């Protein structure tokens, strides 16, 4: 997941690239869920790489197997590597069905995030970040055994 340092870097790089070169910015932050992808967009990314969310789809490379009644997808090794397919937790992903069903869930998640923040469109979100009416703040875990900081979006009153 993306921590506070990654979020800050994304915001600063996206701001620089957009103002200096007027180019779109793609965030590849290993987004494992819709919330992380949405936060990356809020921080300035024009698009987000969603490979981890699509790895378990039918369209992704890999063979299928069943384990305890659950359909799993086996990941292949790097291109050109003649790796044996070992059934371990690192090489197995729960099958998610077709990408035709995953992508609409991603779009719906972004739409729900916008609605929850009271923002009408993605085009408006960067303006809200820029004027300070939308901010991302870091929440530190209450328990010491949690090492990952969490990022939370907060819409400020007008």
């Amino acid at each position: 997941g993306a921590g506070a340092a990654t979020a800050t870097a994304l915001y600063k790089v996206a701001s620089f690239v957009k103002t200096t070169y007027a180019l779109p910015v793609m965030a590849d932050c290993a987004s494992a869920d819709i919330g992380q992808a949405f936060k990356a967009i809020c921080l300035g990314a024009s698009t987000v790489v969603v490979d981890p969310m699509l790895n378990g789809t039918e369209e992704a490379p890999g063979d299928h197997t069943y384990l305890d009644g659950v359909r799993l997808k086996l990941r292949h090794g790097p291109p050109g590597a003649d790796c044996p397919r070992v059934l371990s937790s690192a090489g197995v992903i729960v099958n998610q069905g077709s990408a035709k069903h995953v992508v609409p869930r991603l779009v719906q998640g972004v739409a729900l995030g916008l609605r929850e923040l009271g923002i009408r469109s993605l085009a408006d979100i960067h303006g809200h970040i820029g004027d300070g009416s939308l901010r991302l703040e870091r929440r530190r875990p209450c328990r010491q055994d949690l090492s990952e900081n969490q990022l939370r979006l907060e819409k400020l009153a007008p």
Side-chain angles (χ1 to χ4, degrees):
T6 305
T8 300
L10 174 59
Y11 177 74
K12 288 183 177 184
V13 167
S15 296
F16 174 76
V17 168
K18 287 181 177 184
T19 57
T20 306
Y21 301 106
L23 292 172
V25 175
M26 178 184 290
D28 186 1
C29 53
S31 300
D33 62 40
I34 296 167
Q36 289 179 358
F38 182 65
K39 289 171 192 171
I41 291 169
C42 289
L43 288 167
S46 305
T47 187
V48 179
V49 175
V50 292
D51 285 352
M53 291 181 260
L54 297 175
N55 277 341
T57 62
E58 307 250 338
E59 294 83 358
D63 297 323
H64 292 95
T65 189
Y66 287 89
L67 182 65
D68 296 329
V70 177
R71 187 172 186 202
L72 303 171
K73 174 154 282 207
L74 299 173
R75 284 193 254 179
H76 290 283
D82 194 18
C83 301
R85 294 186 190 106
V86 179
L87 196 61
S88 70
S89 60
V92 177
I93 307 165
V94 175
N95 187 296
Q96 297 178 22
S98 175
K100 293 175 187 175
H101 303 293
V102 175
V103 172
R105 285 197 310 257
L106 293 171
V107 172
Q108 181 184 24
V110 170
L112 289 173
L114 288 172
R115 187 178 317 138
E116 186 175 318
L117 293 171
I119 298 173
R120 292 179 182 230
S121 71
L122 283 175
D124 297 339
I125 206 154
H126 298 144
H128 287 284
I129 290 277
D131 70 14
S133 63
L134 179 66
R135 68 180 183 191
L136 200 68
E137 64 180 31
R138 181 176 67 174
R139 292 188 333 192
R140 294 186 182 258
C142 296
R143 298 182 313 176
Q144 289 187 6
D145 61 333
L146 297 175
S147 60
E148 185 76 24
N149 290 328
Q150 296 179 352
L151 297 174
R152 179 174 65 92
L153 283 168
E154 178 181 306
K155 181 80 163 95
L156 303 176

